[in-house]
Amino acid sequence: MSENPGSPPLDFRAGAWLLCAFTLLMVGYFTLPLEWFGDRRPVLSWLVFAGALGGMTWLMVVKIVGVMLGTAKRPVTWLAFLIFVAMTIFSASYYAMGRHKADFAGLETRLDALYFTVVTMSTVGYGDITPVSQTARLVVVLQIGYNFVFLAAAAGTASRAVRSGIERRVRREE
């Protein structure tokens, strides 16, 4: 009776890296002094927000193109991490804006901001936290558009990479 070794094991190192990176990202989010940003330093706040979002978008596009060209290393891990980074950037922005009570109703803590970001990523909101000012609404609309374009592209690309990896393994086993 011959033994079939089966498919190669999952890449646990990539999963462990993603878990550690996400953990460090959340530790940073919950501990960094986000009070420096907001209505007291609007120019700095907008520059940091635009720079972080622009840099992260560039990295995401590079990974998506790498998957399309077949040159990306660990694309699913990187794309998942970049989606987490986008979530954290928007959450930090909402928290900085929420410190100014005229921008958001119901947003008091960093966890509130993270909750609002995740809810906005998955739906259009539940109504318990609402953007009140025009600036807050602009950032929410920006996030929804960002979700439709970049995060959907990243998730679709990650899905395509997983599917093609499974197809390659099945072909090798046949």
Side-chain angles (χ1 to χ4, degrees), residues 77-91:
T77 304
W78 275 103
L79 289 170
F81 176 68
L82 291 173
I83 290 170
F84 292 147
V85 171
M87 177 184 70
T88 306
I89 290 169
F90 279 106
S91 184

Side-chain angles (χ1 to χ4, degrees), residues 44-98:
L44 175 67
S45 300
W46 282 107
L47 287 174
V48 170
F49 176 68
L53 204 57
M56 198 265 317
T57 301
W58 179 80
L59 287 171
M60 194 174 295
V61 168
V62 165
K63 282 297 172 186
I64 290 170
V65 169
V67 169
M68 294 168 70
L69 296 175
T71 60
K73 304 257 193 240
R74 292 183 174 37
V76 175
T77 304
W78 275 103
L79 289 170
F81 176 68
L82 291 173
I83 290 170
F84 292 147
V85 171
M87 177 184 70
T88 306
I89 290 169
F90 279 106
S91 184
S93 299
Y94 293 142
Y95 176 72
M97 293 173 75

Side-chain angles (χ1 to χ4, degrees), residues 104-109 112 128-130:
F104 278 94
L107 197 151
E108 302 290 330
T109 66
D112 289 341
D128 54 343
I129 298 174
T130 55

